[in-house]
Amino acid sequence: ITRPLIGYSLNDQELRHFKLEDYPEFETFEIRNSSEARQNIKKILDRIKKPLGGIPASLHSGLGLIFSCERHGCPEFKEAEMAIFRADIIAAKIIGVDRINFHIDKRVYDKEEKELFRKLIDFSNEKGIKLIVESNTFSRGEYILDFLETFPEVNYCLDFGHLNTSLQNNFLEMPLEEFLDRIAKRTIHIHAHNNFGKDDEHAPLDKGNFPYKLALEKLTNVERIICENRTKEDALKTKEVLEEFYHNN
């Protein structure tokens, strides 16, 4: 099994004081475009772009569940959500990252919403940015599978902890191995952390009951794994577990 790049998810405080030399253990980074980062976007862009210097990185959209406004009774907000997502794509282009992770709503989109999202795909293609949809917590497998089938240009980020909340609470509605087989070719990105199915704890990879070894064995197209833990200390523990797996496989 080919070892992917292993990286780290930077939080707001780490972004404010980012120095590449502080993270020698990691080969790639994920930038969370939170509300704070968006409010200080010029400072963030200036602070991150030069230090990265071409190091592979991704941007995590701060939008939340795109088109969730429909479910909350505010369908007119869809255009605003699309504008926010376009801003994320532009920020990614300026920073020099090549991909954006994002979340869809916890349902199957209707025809109109799929047509609207097609416009976002066209915009991201113009900017040369890959779109990667990420698994949600406590979400049904059919939602992601329908989205991936509708949009073959979009790849998948398997978030171990998020998927485990679906798996342990019977939301997935299919055996884990079947789900992994169906998304394997499209999975190029992983968020590595763990839990016991009740809460999205973002614990180190070996502190939970998600069968991460099975997932890593089946997902052979993965390019980058982000250690998405609450602290750098926990991220380093996750990286150690990943290094051991790839050393033995």
Short mmCIF file of all heavy atoms in Angstrom, two decimals, residues 13 84 102 179:
data_model
loop_
_atom_site.label_atom_id
_atom_site.label_comp_id
_atom_site.label_asym_id
_atom_site.label_seq_id
_atom_site.Cartn_x
_atom_site.Cartn_y
_atom_site.Cartn_z
N GLN A 13 -5.96 29.78 16.03
CA GLN A 13 -4.79 30.28 16.76
C GLN A 13 -3.50 29.92 16.04
O GLN A 13 -2.57 30.74 15.95
CB GLN A 13 -4.78 29.73 18.18
CG GLN A 13 -3.62 30.27 19.03
CD GLN A 13 -3.68 29.80 20.47
OE1 GLN A 13 -4.58 29.08 20.85
NE2 GLN A 13 -2.71 30.18 21.26
N ILE A 84 -20.62 32.51 -0.71
CA ILE A 84 -19.61 32.16 0.30
C ILE A 84 -18.69 31.06 -0.23
O ILE A 84 -17.46 31.11 -0.06
CB ILE A 84 -20.29 31.72 1.61
CG1 ILE A 84 -21.03 32.91 2.24
CG2 ILE A 84 -19.26 31.15 2.60
CD1 ILE A 84 -21.92 32.52 3.41
N PHE A 102 -15.58 20.18 1.70
CA PHE A 102 -16.84 20.82 2.07
C PHE A 102 -17.84 19.76 2.48
O PHE A 102 -17.68 18.57 2.20
CB PHE A 102 -17.40 21.65 0.90
CG PHE A 102 -17.80 20.82 -0.29
CD1 PHE A 102 -19.12 20.43 -0.48
CD2 PHE A 102 -16.86 20.41 -1.23
CE1 PHE A 102 -19.50 19.65 -1.57
CE2 PHE A 102 -17.22 19.63 -2.32
CZ PHE A 102 -18.54 19.26 -2.49
N PHE A 179 -19.90 -0.07 1.83
CA PHE A 179 -19.77 1.38 1.66
C PHE A 179 -18.35 1.73 1.21
O PHE A 179 -18.16 2.53 0.28
CB PHE A 179 -20.11 2.09 2.96
CG PHE A 179 -20.03 3.59 2.85
CD1 PHE A 179 -21.03 4.32 2.24
CD2 PHE A 179 -18.92 4.26 3.37
CE1 PHE A 179 -20.95 5.71 2.14
CE2 PHE A 179 -18.84 5.65 3.28
CZ PHE A 179 -19.85 6.37 2.66
#
